[in-house]
Amino acid sequence: MDERPVETGAVTGGVRILLRLEGLALFAAMTALYATWGGSWWVYALLFLVPDLSFLAYLSDAKFGALVYNAAHSYMAPVTLMTLGFGLASSLTLSIALIWLAHIGIDRALGYGLKYSAGFGFTHLGRIGRQKDA
């Protein structure tokens, strides 16, 4: 068993507010781009919560759950997908990327940050859930 201390630091104060506002801006911008692109709102509604299926990895354990959740909630994959979507002129690829980034944005705006292996409630934006004040 690994007995090293688990890192669970979180940003606070004005920086936390700024990061959450950036999330809100990302959500608004990606949703506006999606509307301008002329994407289907049925597709938007259908795919918007798909990244949250990554929380199912927590059924295995917290470390694996955090790894999978963070992979689905970091900017790297959807930005790569968006670049490919523009480069290949693929409307489906671009639509998926815009929806994925909008999802990440609203999550960050609501305080759902990247996860630490200590558990789902430990994020880079602070504790979430019922135990956050504990």
Side-chain angles (χ1 to χ4, degrees):
M1 184 165 152
D2 188 4
E3 294 187 24
R4 289 178 287 155
V6 177
E7 180 62 42
T8 58
V11 67
T12 61
V15 175
R16 182 173 188 263
I17 292 168
L18 181 60
L19 289 173
R20 290 181 72 173
L21 287 173
E22 282 180 347
L24 184 60
L26 179 65
F27 167 73
M30 294 303 104
T31 302
L33 277 173
Y34 188 81
T36 301
W37 180 255
S40 164
W41 291 108
W42 287 107
V43 172
Y44 188 94
L46 183 67
L47 296 180
F48 190 77
L49 295 176
V50 166
D52 282 340
L53 294 176
S54 62
F55 85 90
L56 293 172
Y58 277 94
L59 295 173
S60 174
D61 67 38
K63 185 175 181 179
F64 183 67
L67 177 74
V68 172
Y69 184 93
N70 290 343
H73 287 83
S74 99
Y75 302 128
M76 292 181 287
V79 167
T80 300
L81 203 60
M82 185 166 60
T83 303
L84 288 171
F86 277 120
L88 300 173
S90 170
S91 60
L92 178 60
T93 303
L94 183 58
S95 293
I96 292 168
L98 293 173
I99 295 165
W100 195 351
L101 285 165
H103 172 89
I104 293 170
I106 199 66
D107 268 10
R108 300 278 170 87
L110 295 172
Y112 294 95
L114 297 174
K115 310 299 183 198
Y116 289 104
S117 62
F120 187 81
F122 295 90
T123 82
H124 83 287
L125 296 174
R127 296 279 306 268
I128 57 172
R130 284 181 270 163
Q131 71 282 14
K132 71 179 178 183
D133 297 325

